[in-house]
Structure formats: C-alpha cells, structure tokens
Amino acid sequence: MQLQFSRHRKLRSSANMRALVRENHLRAEDFIYPLFIYEGENIRKEVSSMPGVFQISMDHLHAEMEDIVAHGIKAVLLFGIPATKDECGGQAYHDHGIVQEATRYIKKHFPDILVIADTCLCEYTSHGHCGVVKGEKILNDESLELLVKTAVSQAQAGADIIAPSNMMDGFVAAIRAGLDEAGFTEIPIMSYAVKYASSFYGPFREAAEGAPQFGDRKTYQMDPANRLEAFREAESDVAEGADFLIVKPGMPYLDIVRDMKNNFNVPIVIYNVSGEYAMIKAAAQNGWLDEKKTVLEMLVGMKRAGADLIITYHAKDAIRWLKEEQ
C-alpha cells in the first residue's frame, strides 16, 4: 500500500543538515550581563541563591571586566549597592554614587563596552521601594523628579543607555525630557516597559539588597494574569520615547515577548531573571538537569519567541558553550 505523507525528518538527518536549516541562533552579541557593584573595598561575595554571581567592589571591577571582554560580551547592566541608604535614595543620583563611579571606570578602561545603567531607587532607599514613599503609598509624580536626576547623573558619568526599571507612570516621558534638557539627546532609553510583579525576583533582591521593607510592589508592577495591560504599557513607553522595550521576567512571559515583537518596531529585550537562573543552577547541582543543554535550549527559546537581546546571568557560560560547539 502506497501511503502519502510528508517526510519532515529529511531536514533532521545529520548535525550539519540541522545546522543548515536552523532558524534561530545565539551569539555573544545577543547577551547583556548584569553586574552588582558594591560600595566598599575588597568585596567579592557570591550571592548564596545565585551560584556564580558575585557582588563586587570597585577594586575587583577591572578583573571582572577583563573576563567579560575575554568572553566577548559587548554590554553590561549595572546595579549598585550603596554604603548608606535614605528615604529618598540620594545615592542613586549622587555624582559619586557607586553606579556613576563604576560607569566612569568602565568607560575609561574599557571604552568599547556598552554600559547600561539601571535607573531605579529601590537599592538606594531605606524602605526598599522604587519611589518616594508617604505613609505606605508610593508617590508617582514626586518619584519622577528623582528618577530624572538619577538618569541625568548616570548619563553625565558616561552611561551609553539609560534603563529605567521603576514602573512609575510617565517615567519614560520624564526621563526623555530630562536627558534632552541636559544635552543628552542621543542617549537611548531601554525601558522596563513590561515588568510583572513576579515571584521570580527573590534571588535578585538578595543580590541587590533592595527588598521592600513593607508591603509589595503590586501597585506599580504588573499583574501576572494580564496580557492586554502589556500593550498599554508598551504603547505609552514607545510614544514617550523608549528606544528598547524590556519584558521581565522571561520564561513565564514568552507569549508577551512575541506580542511585543509582533506589534512594536523597536528592539525587544527579555530579562532572564534571577529566579529562572537559580532554578536551573539548583537542578543542575542536584544532577536533575544537564545545565549546558537546558540553558542553551531556554535561551534559544527566548530568541524564537522574538527577543532581540537577552539580559542573563548565564551569559559567560552560554558563550563558552557556544564556542565549544563551533
């Protein structure tokens, strides 16, 4: 009996055949590597919930950057942990704040590396929220003034890209106006446009020492159940001047990444967040998953979903594994 059916396996017959027809690829240029810069000296402390990720002080920054360059990473995302915190997060916009100092150092000694400055207040405020607090309410418009000051100070220090992550209404419009007024008309904004109030941020809050001291962030970060809300947030940010759109977290929100890619003509960035990283690390350490295969499958899945760039703590390992496969 002659059956009529398609033979799709013809294009899977060998490693070279599979490579020939592969639709999505990972490259070193796709990755943005987060760094946690700790104010102080002689600090290189591994984050207990994120094996392989360290808080480092400025005296360890040069060696870290040499390693980053050697791996072929082209961009870093800076988070700062200051020595002192206050109600208004003053160290976020201080001329000699830890992110500003790290930015100056990197641009002086590694000028080709793109420095992306996370623009938020939570690591710098004593209450751990991303804006100005009155009672237990996070004030939107009053927070914008401080976020603009932070963005301008980061640009003055040499940041190549400003990445506001605070989720205050109007934050892109305010920061764009502030940067333009200060003469930084060519500095792009990488907006955390679609940032969900996620349970996957736990390890990051240990790394950045920025956990809220009361309540939660559900009044300004998005409800994980919502999809259409992502369109509203992204549309506003693009209209206000965003040059990139970030979706955060990554793995549970690949549908949102595809929505953003299909509807907005700007680069789409996915943040492969700390909880996603920690889960794979824990499973690999217990022998439950093959770390290399799992990480590369996850990252290429993010590209397939529509991400142009991936912020990931796996960047160094992923690049090394990709080179091994060449």
Side-chain angles (χ1 to χ4, degrees):
M1 182 176 66
Q2 183 65 41
L3 299 177
Q4 297 295 323
F5 57 87
S6 299
R7 294 190 179 275
H8 301 292
R9 290 177 59 190
K10 294 195 296 285
L11 302 185
R12 306 172 196 152
S13 59
S14 68
N16 283 343
M17 181 68 76
R18 292 189 295 273
L20 185 69
V21 299
R22 188 161 293 137
E23 299 172 31
N24 294 281
H25 300 269
L26 294 169
R27 309 171 306 152
E29 291 82 0
D30 296 330
F31 301 129
I32 299 168
Y33 189 60
L35 287 177
F36 298 97
I37 312 300
Y38 208 105
E39 191 168 8
E41 295 181 354
N42 197 30
I43 297 167
R44 190 174 186 272
K45 178 183 176 183
E46 189 171 31
V47 180
S48 64
S49 55
M50 299 176 69
V53 174
F54 293 83
Q55 298 169 325
I56 61 169
S57 51
M58 287 287 295
D59 49 323
H60 286 273
L61 182 56
H62 196 94
E64 177 64 31
M65 290 305 304
E66 287 184 328
D67 190 46
I68 285 168
V69 170
H71 277 82
I73 294 168
K74 308 300 184 184
V76 294
L77 174 60
L78 299 187
F79 298 94
I81 303 106
T84 60
K85 303 187 180 192
D86 58 44
E87 287 291 306
C88 293
Q91 289 298 309
Y93 43 87
H94 195 286
D95 286 344
H96 296 286
I98 186 61
V99 163
Q100 288 80 354
E101 290 297 302
T103 298
R104 290 188 186 97
Y105 188 91
I106 293 170
K107 296 310 296 183
K108 178 179 179 181
H109 297 280
F110 304 90
D112 292 335
I113 292 290
L114 290 173
V115 173
I116 306 169
D118 179 80
T119 306
C120 197
L121 301 178
C122 58
E123 298 112 282
Y124 306 92
T125 54
S126 53
H127 47 72
H129 279 283
C130 302
V132 175
V133 169
K134 184 176 182 180
E136 293 196 355
K137 183 177 181 180
I138 291 79
L139 304 180
N140 193 89
D141 295 7
E142 292 84 347
S143 300
L144 294 181
E145 297 177 17
L146 301 184
L147 293 165
V148 170
K149 291 176 66 175
T150 301
V152 170
S153 73
Q154 292 169 337
Q156 289 171 336
D160 298 289
I161 300 173
I162 298 299
S165 61
N166 52 86
M167 288 297 286
M168 297 295 116
D169 290 337
F171 69 99
V172 173
I175 288 172
R176 182 72 272 160
L179 289 172
D180 290 352
E181 185 177 342
F184 297 106
T185 56
E186 297 186 2
I187 297 293
I189 295 175
M190 182 181 285
S191 171
Y192 287 71
V194 183
K195 182 178 180 180
Y196 286 89
S198 174
S199 300
F200 285 86
Y201 300 151
F204 174 89
R205 290 174 180 171
E206 177 193 352
E209 299 186 7
Q213 299 302 300
F214 66 88
D216 53 42
R217 294 174 177 155
K218 293 181 180 179
T219 64
Y220 46 104
Q221 295 178 0
M222 291 169 53
D223 186 337
N226 291 353
R227 173 172 174 258
L228 297 180
E229 185 179 0
F231 287 91
R232 297 195 296 271
E233 289 282 359
E235 286 169 355
S236 296
D237 285 9
V238 170
E240 293 170 14
D243 301 284
F244 304 77
L245 297 175
I246 298 177
V247 177
K248 182 181 180 182
M251 290 171 63
Y253 299 94
L254 296 179
D255 59 322
I256 306 299
V257 174
R258 174 47 57 185
D259 284 337
M260 297 300 103
K261 185 66 173 178
N262 288 347
N263 288 276
F264 298 97
N265 191 27
V266 297
I268 304 302
V269 186
I270 192 169
Y271 200 140
N272 175 214
V273 300
S274 60
E276 299 164 24
Y277 175 88
M279 288 192 303
I280 290 179
K281 281 290 185 180
Q285 288 180 351
N286 280 283
W288 300 334
L289 289 174
D290 182 305
E291 183 178 1
K292 172 184 174 180
K293 292 179 180 179
T294 304
V295 169
L296 293 181
E297 180 180 344
M298 174 187 64
L299 294 175
V300 81
M302 292 176 176
K303 290 293 296 290
R304 188 185 65 246
D308 298 292
L309 300 168
I310 304 171
I311 303 169
T312 180
Y313 307 97
H314 292 291
K316 290 182 181 179
D317 287 337
I319 291 168
R320 187 178 71 254
W321 292 327
L322 291 169
K323 288 178 179 177
E324 291 172 355
E325 293 185 349
Q326 291 177 351

